[in-house]
Amino acid sequence: QSALTQPASVSGSPGQSITISCTGTSSDVGSYNLVSWYQQHPGKAPKLMIYEVSKRPSGVSNRFSGSKSGNTASLTISGLQAEDEADYYCCSYAGSSTFVFGTGTKVTVL
Amino acid sequence: QVTLRESGPALVKPTQTLTLTCTFSGFSLSTSGMCVSWIRQPPGKALEWLALIDWDDDKYYSTSLKTRLTISKDTSKNQVVLTMTNMDPVDTATYYCARSPGTGNFDYWGQGTLVTVSS
């Protein structure tokens, strides 16, 4: 179970849109529509933002959206806001009730 | 209201066994499809999934740590326990427990507990 690959950092100006990629393999991201995304502010626990590739939990802004193509999943944040500055992690089901997380992406709002 | 809280020692010595307890409320681990996982995060590093136990008492472990981990549950006490043997300084991390409602994600997390491994 190797970690999913994410860019180390992504930045954007307020109001812009950014996209974070999450690349796995045909054994995890490519095989299951069970990719989730988590936002983590410093010193806080992760928060679920997207599940099952593109579904948003109740209470999560519709500025957050997810998609998947082949072995790569993506998280898009539109209308970037200062409060979106955080670390973001993807996670994929990897079969046999196991999971693998991504390497994490630091989002900076310029 | 779903809550989870981790508890355990803040400091363990190398080679010792770590025992962490996750006490939860607002859901039942005997509900079909319900699971609880342990996830850790070394300081400044990424999240790492460790283990999962489901409503049917089936247990699943990270391939790389399988030989060192044991997960168990006490449904009557609403607790899930993780033990990790032969602790090493590289195991220094914040350990989280999280609920997984059978949809391949972790929807509720505890606040985490920092465990430092040092002599």
Side-chain angles (χ1 to χ4, degrees):
Chain A
Q1 291 169 335
S2 297
L4 308 176
T5 301
Q6 299 180 231
S9 62
V10 173
S11 62
S13 300
Q16 286 187 330
S17 293
I18 61 169
T19 297
I20 304 168
S21 61
C22 169
T23 301
T25 69
S26 57
S27 297
D28 38 62
V29 175
S31 285
Y32 308 98
N33 288 324
L34 292 175
V35 175
S36 51
W37 288 89
Y38 302 86
Q39 176 191 65
Q40 187 179 35
H41 286 108
K44 300 295 187 182
K47 174 187 175 183
L48 177 66
M49 305 301 285
I50 295 286
Y51 68 101
E52 293 180 9
V53 176
S54 60
K55 296 179 180 178
R56 271 189 316 275
S58 175
V60 171
S61 171
N62 59 8
R63 297 185 298 104
F64 292 84
S65 61
S67 62
K68 190 187 89 166
S69 177
N71 297 338
T72 299
S74 298
L75 174 72
T76 297
I77 309 174
S78 58
L80 198 61
Q81 299 180 0
E83 67 207 48
D84 301 331
E85 187 161 292
D87 294 327
Y88 291 82
Y89 293 93
C90 60
C91 179
S92 176
Y93 182 69
S96 301
S97 293
T98 64
F99 296 86
V100 58
F101 279 94
T103 51
T105 298
K106 180 177 181 60
V107 169
T108 300
V109 180
L110 301 172
Chain B
Q1 176 192 1
V2 173
T3 65
L4 302 98
R5 186 184 76 250
E6 306 86 353
S7 58
L11 179 67
V12 298
K13 289 179 167 45
T15 76
Q16 287 187 335
T17 293
L18 171 68
T19 299
L20 294 173
T21 300
C22 174
T23 303
F24 58 86
S25 64
F27 67 97
S28 172
L29 197 40
S30 57
T31 299
S32 180
M34 197 62 68
C35 311
V36 170
S37 278
W38 284 94
I39 296 154
R40 72 177 179 179
Q41 185 174 36
K45 297 189 177 181
L47 299 166
E48 179 184 17
W49 177 80
L50 300 177
L52 176 149
I53 190 164
D54 69 16
W55 78 101
D56 208 22
D57 207 33
D58 290 319
K59 300 152 188 178
Y60 304 89
Y61 300 100
S62 163
T63 304
S64 59
L65 292 168
K66 187 172 188 175
T67 60
R68 298 174 54 206
L69 296 173
T70 302
I71 192 170
S72 62
K73 66 181 174 74
D74 185 332
T75 304
S76 64
K77 291 184 178 179
N78 282 352
Q79 290 182 333
V80 172
V81 174
L82 180 76
T83 62
M84 180 180 291
T85 61
N86 194 24
M87 293 292 285
D88 183 273
V90 299
D91 297 313
T92 294
T94 295
Y95 287 76
Y96 295 98
C97 60
R99 186 183 86 155
S100 182
T103 49
N105 61 79
F106 311 103
D107 60 351
Y108 288 92
W109 296 62
Q111 85 279 7
T113 186
L114 175 61
V115 177
T116 301
V117 184
S118 174
S119 55

